[in-house]
Amino acid sequence: MTGKGEILPLRASEDVVIVRQRVRALAAQEGLKLVDQTKIVTAASELARNTVIYGRDGTALLEAVEAGGRRGVRLTFEDRGPGIADLQLAMKDGYTTGGGLGLGLSGSKRLCNEFEIESKVGVGTRVTITRWR
Amino acid sequence: MERIPILKMGSFLLVTVQVDMHDQLAMNLQSDLTDKIVSAKARGVLIDISALDIVDSFIGRMLGNIASMSRILDAETVVVGMQPAVAITLVELGLALTGVRTALNIEKGMDLLRASIG
Protein backbone atom coordinates (compact mmCIF):
# COMPACT_ATOMS: atom_id res chain seq x y z
CA MET A 1 0.00 0.00 0.00
CA THR A 2 1.38 3.34 -1.03
CA GLY A 3 0.23 6.71 0.17
CA LYS A 4 1.28 10.30 -0.23
CA GLY A 5 -0.44 12.39 2.35
CA GLU A 6 -1.50 15.89 3.15
CA ILE A 7 -2.06 16.93 6.77
CA LEU A 8 -4.59 19.65 7.57
CA PRO A 9 -5.30 21.23 10.97
CA LEU A 10 -8.75 20.95 12.57
CA ARG A 11 -9.19 23.67 15.15
CA ALA A 12 -12.11 25.84 13.99
CA SER A 13 -15.28 25.34 11.98
CA GLU A 14 -13.65 27.03 8.95
CA ASP A 15 -11.08 24.21 8.91
CA VAL A 16 -13.92 21.74 8.27
CA VAL A 17 -14.73 23.59 5.04
CA ILE A 18 -11.10 23.37 3.89
CA VAL A 19 -10.98 19.63 4.65
CA ARG A 20 -14.18 19.12 2.61
CA GLN A 21 -12.68 20.97 -0.36
CA ARG A 22 -9.34 19.12 -0.23
CA VAL A 23 -11.06 15.72 0.11
CA ARG A 24 -13.28 16.56 -2.88
CA ALA A 25 -10.21 17.44 -4.98
CA LEU A 26 -8.40 14.25 -3.97
CA ALA A 27 -11.44 12.02 -4.57
CA ALA A 28 -11.93 13.53 -8.04
CA GLN A 29 -8.23 13.12 -8.82
CA GLU A 30 -8.39 9.44 -7.79
CA GLY A 31 -11.27 8.89 -10.18
CA LEU A 32 -14.12 8.28 -7.71
CA LYS A 33 -17.59 8.64 -9.20
CA LEU A 34 -19.60 11.72 -8.24
CA VAL A 35 -21.81 9.81 -5.77
CA ASP A 36 -18.77 8.24 -4.12
CA GLN A 37 -17.04 11.63 -3.97
CA THR A 38 -20.14 13.06 -2.29
CA LYS A 39 -20.21 10.20 0.22
CA ILE A 40 -16.57 10.51 1.28
CA VAL A 41 -16.76 14.33 1.44
CA THR A 42 -19.90 14.10 3.61
CA ALA A 43 -18.26 11.51 5.89
CA ALA A 44 -15.18 13.77 6.09
CA SER A 45 -17.38 16.71 7.07
CA GLU A 46 -18.99 14.72 9.91
CA LEU A 47 -15.70 13.39 11.27
CA ALA A 48 -13.86 16.71 10.87
CA ARG A 49 -16.63 18.46 12.84
CA ASN A 50 -16.41 15.83 15.59
CA THR A 51 -12.67 16.43 15.79
CA VAL A 52 -13.17 20.21 16.06
CA ILE A 53 -15.97 19.96 18.65
CA TYR A 54 -14.76 17.13 20.88
CA GLY A 55 -11.07 16.92 20.16
CA ARG A 56 -8.06 19.11 20.79
CA ASP A 57 -5.14 19.71 18.44
CA GLY A 58 -7.01 17.78 15.78
CA THR A 59 -5.66 16.94 12.35
CA ALA A 60 -6.88 15.30 9.17
CA LEU A 61 -4.53 13.20 7.05
CA LEU A 62 -5.60 12.81 3.41
CA GLU A 63 -4.03 10.01 1.38
CA ALA A 64 -4.41 8.45 -2.03
CA VAL A 65 -4.12 4.68 -1.58
CA GLU A 66 -3.76 1.68 -3.82
CA ALA A 67 -4.26 -2.01 -3.02
CA GLY A 68 -4.67 -4.97 -5.34
CA GLY A 69 -4.98 -2.71 -8.36
CA ARG A 70 -7.72 -0.61 -6.73
CA ARG A 71 -7.34 3.06 -6.04
CA GLY A 72 -9.04 4.95 -3.30
CA VAL A 73 -8.96 7.70 -0.72
CA ARG A 74 -8.05 7.19 2.92
CA LEU A 75 -8.69 9.80 5.59
CA THR A 76 -7.41 9.76 9.16
CA PHE A 77 -8.86 12.09 11.79
CA GLU A 78 -6.83 12.31 14.94
CA ASP A 79 -7.13 14.37 18.09
CA ARG A 80 -5.76 14.66 21.59
CA GLY A 81 -9.15 15.19 23.17
CA PRO A 82 -10.82 13.43 26.09
CA GLY A 83 -11.37 10.19 24.14
CA ILE A 84 -14.50 8.06 24.00
CA ALA A 85 -15.23 5.82 27.00
CA ASP A 86 -17.87 3.61 25.35
CA LEU A 87 -17.20 3.15 21.64
CA GLN A 88 -20.14 0.82 21.13
CA LEU A 89 -22.52 3.45 22.50
CA ALA A 90 -20.84 6.26 20.53
CA MET A 91 -21.39 4.30 17.30
CA LYS A 92 -25.15 4.08 17.82
CA ASP A 93 -27.47 6.15 15.62
CA GLY A 94 -28.84 9.08 17.58
CA TYR A 95 -26.39 8.93 20.48
CA THR A 96 -24.73 12.27 21.17
CA THR A 97 -23.11 14.14 24.02
CA GLY A 98 -22.84 17.32 21.99
CA GLY A 99 -26.43 18.24 21.24
CA GLY A 100 -26.26 17.19 17.57
CA LEU A 101 -28.24 14.49 15.79
CA GLY A 102 -25.85 11.70 16.77
CA LEU A 103 -25.27 10.64 13.18
CA GLY A 104 -21.63 11.67 12.80
CA LEU A 105 -19.90 8.37 13.59
CA SER A 106 -22.63 5.90 12.65
CA GLY A 107 -23.58 7.80 9.49
CA SER A 108 -20.05 8.27 8.23
CA LYS A 109 -19.39 4.55 8.74
CA ARG A 110 -22.25 3.82 6.33
CA LEU A 111 -20.77 6.23 3.78
CA CYS A 112 -17.42 4.51 3.33
CA ASN A 113 -16.04 1.06 2.56
CA GLU A 114 -13.72 0.75 5.54
CA PHE A 115 -14.04 2.33 8.96
CA GLU A 116 -11.75 2.00 11.96
CA ILE A 117 -11.93 3.80 15.27
CA GLU A 118 -9.48 3.77 18.16
CA SER A 119 -9.92 5.80 21.29
CA LYS A 120 -8.31 6.04 24.69
CA VAL A 121 -9.80 8.08 27.51
CA GLY A 122 -7.53 10.98 28.34
CA VAL A 123 -5.35 10.40 25.27
CA GLY A 124 -7.46 10.96 22.17
CA THR A 125 -9.31 9.46 19.28
CA ARG A 126 -8.34 8.30 15.80
CA VAL A 127 -10.84 7.48 13.05
CA THR A 128 -9.67 6.09 9.70
CA ILE A 129 -11.99 5.73 6.72
CA THR A 130 -11.40 4.50 3.18
CA ARG A 131 -13.52 4.77 0.07
CA TRP A 132 -12.43 2.68 -2.95
CA ARG A 133 -13.08 3.53 -6.55
CA MET B 1 -19.90 39.09 10.04
CA GLU B 2 -20.45 36.86 7.00
CA ARG B 3 -24.08 36.44 5.99
CA ILE B 4 -26.14 34.72 3.32
CA PRO B 5 -28.47 37.24 1.60
CA ILE B 6 -32.24 36.86 2.00
CA LEU B 7 -34.37 38.37 -0.79
CA LYS B 8 -37.99 39.40 -0.39
CA MET B 9 -40.40 38.72 -3.25
CA GLY B 10 -43.96 39.70 -2.37
CA SER B 11 -44.90 37.62 0.65
CA PHE B 12 -42.07 35.14 0.03
CA LEU B 13 -38.46 35.06 1.11
CA LEU B 14 -35.84 33.66 -1.24
CA VAL B 15 -32.46 32.27 -0.21
CA THR B 16 -29.87 30.89 -2.58
CA VAL B 17 -26.99 29.19 -0.82
CA GLN B 18 -23.98 29.62 -3.09
CA VAL B 19 -21.08 29.12 -0.73
CA ASP B 20 -19.73 26.12 1.13
CA MET B 21 -21.20 27.04 4.52
CA HIS B 22 -19.24 26.62 7.71
CA ASP B 23 -21.35 25.87 10.77
CA GLN B 24 -21.56 29.42 12.11
CA LEU B 25 -22.74 30.71 8.74
CA ALA B 26 -25.51 28.11 8.75
CA MET B 27 -26.52 29.14 12.28
CA ASN B 28 -26.60 32.81 11.20
CA LEU B 29 -28.87 31.96 8.28
CA GLN B 30 -31.24 30.11 10.60
CA SER B 31 -31.62 33.08 12.95
CA ASP B 32 -31.66 35.71 10.18
CA LEU B 33 -34.46 33.84 8.42
CA THR B 34 -36.67 33.57 11.48
CA ASP B 35 -36.19 37.30 12.20
CA LYS B 36 -36.95 38.16 8.59
CA ILE B 37 -40.12 36.01 8.48
CA VAL B 38 -41.50 38.13 11.29
CA SER B 39 -40.27 41.55 10.13
CA ALA B 40 -41.35 40.99 6.50
CA LYS B 41 -44.59 39.19 7.50
CA ALA B 42 -43.54 36.45 5.06
CA ARG B 43 -45.86 33.52 4.30
CA GLY B 44 -43.34 31.37 2.47
CA VAL B 45 -39.60 30.65 2.39
CA LEU B 46 -37.81 29.15 -0.58
CA ILE B 47 -34.28 27.82 -0.07
CA ASP B 48 -32.30 26.93 -3.18
CA ILE B 49 -29.49 24.46 -2.42
CA SER B 50 -28.63 23.55 -6.03
CA ALA B 51 -25.10 24.92 -5.57
CA LEU B 52 -24.42 22.77 -2.48
CA ASP B 53 -22.37 19.69 -3.32
CA ILE B 54 -22.90 18.14 0.09
CA VAL B 55 -25.50 18.33 2.86
CA ASP B 56 -24.19 16.83 6.07
CA SER B 57 -26.05 16.27 9.34
CA PHE B 58 -25.41 19.83 10.50
CA ILE B 59 -26.83 21.49 7.37
CA GLY B 60 -29.63 18.92 7.34
CA ARG B 61 -30.52 19.78 10.91
CA MET B 62 -30.50 23.49 10.03
CA LEU B 63 -32.93 22.91 7.14
CA GLY B 64 -35.22 20.97 9.47
CA ASN B 65 -35.02 23.71 12.10
CA ILE B 66 -35.86 26.42 9.58
CA ALA B 67 -38.88 24.40 8.38
CA SER B 68 -40.16 23.90 11.95
CA MET B 69 -39.56 27.47 13.05
CA SER B 70 -41.20 28.95 9.97
CA ARG B 71 -44.23 26.70 10.46
CA ILE B 72 -44.64 28.01 13.99
CA LEU B 73 -44.42 31.54 12.54
CA ASP B 74 -47.14 30.69 9.99
CA ALA B 75 -44.87 30.43 6.97
CA GLU B 76 -44.16 27.43 4.71
CA THR B 77 -40.61 26.42 3.78
CA VAL B 78 -39.68 24.62 0.58
CA VAL B 79 -36.13 23.41 -0.14
CA VAL B 80 -35.36 23.15 -3.84
CA GLY B 81 -32.63 21.99 -6.20
CA MET B 82 -30.98 19.20 -4.24
CA GLN B 83 -28.44 17.36 -6.39
CA PRO B 84 -29.15 13.63 -6.87
CA ALA B 85 -25.80 12.58 -5.35
CA VAL B 86 -26.59 14.69 -2.30
CA ALA B 87 -30.01 13.04 -1.88
CA ILE B 88 -28.48 9.53 -2.09
CA THR B 89 -25.81 10.44 0.45
CA LEU B 90 -28.27 12.05 2.87
CA VAL B 91 -30.44 8.94 3.03
CA GLU B 92 -27.42 6.70 3.56
CA LEU B 93 -26.17 9.03 6.27
CA GLY B 94 -29.48 8.41 8.04
CA LEU B 95 -31.14 11.77 7.52
CA ALA B 96 -34.54 11.63 5.84
CA LEU B 97 -35.28 15.38 6.25
CA THR B 98 -38.69 14.52 7.68
CA GLY B 99 -40.89 17.59 7.86
CA VAL B 100 -38.99 19.48 5.18
CA ARG B 101 -40.95 20.08 1.98
CA THR B 102 -38.88 19.80 -1.18
CA ALA B 103 -39.28 20.51 -4.88
CA LEU B 104 -37.06 19.80 -7.87
CA ASN B 105 -36.41 23.40 -8.86
CA ILE B 106 -37.26 27.02 -8.03
CA GLU B 107 -40.24 27.12 -10.38
CA LYS B 108 -41.86 24.03 -8.87
CA GLY B 109 -41.02 25.31 -5.39
CA MET B 110 -42.76 28.63 -6.06
CA ASP B 111 -45.81 26.75 -7.38
CA LEU B 112 -45.89 24.69 -4.20
CA LEU B 113 -45.67 27.79 -2.00
CA ARG B 114 -48.39 29.62 -3.91
CA ALA B 115 -50.67 26.59 -3.76
CA SER B 116 -50.16 26.05 -0.04
CA ILE B 117 -50.85 29.68 0.81
CA GLY B 118 -53.79 29.99 -1.53
Side-chain angles (χ1 to χ4, degrees), chain B residues 47-117:
Chain B
I47 304 174
D48 174 24
I49 59 163
S50 57
L52 286 188
D53 54 17
I54 70 150
V55 172
D56 64 7
S57 65
F58 193 88
I59 309 266
R61 181 159 63 124
M62 177 208 68
L63 293 172
N65 286 350
I66 289 173
S68 313
M69 290 168 186
S70 69
R71 200 167 300 129
I72 293 168
L73 297 170
D74 196 24
E76 274 295 326
T77 297
V78 178
V79 173
V80 304
M82 186 182 290
Q83 295 175 17
V86 172
I88 294 168
T89 302
L90 255 186
V91 172
E92 215 155 299
L93 180 66
L95 210 62
L97 288 190
T98 324
V100 180
R101 298 184 82 181
T102 55
L104 274 185
N105 53 41
I106 293 190
E107 221 176 324
K108 289 198 160 73
M110 288 302 277
D111 289 347
L112 197 60
L113 280 182
R114 282 194 204 99
S116 68
I117 285 153

Side-chain angles (χ1 to χ4, degrees), chain A residues 89-109:
Chain A
L89 185 61
M91 289 301 300
K92 268 170 89 169
D93 265 350
Y95 179 79
T96 180
T97 57
L101 293 172
L103 289 174
L105 284 178
S106 54
S108 52
K109 184 178 180 184

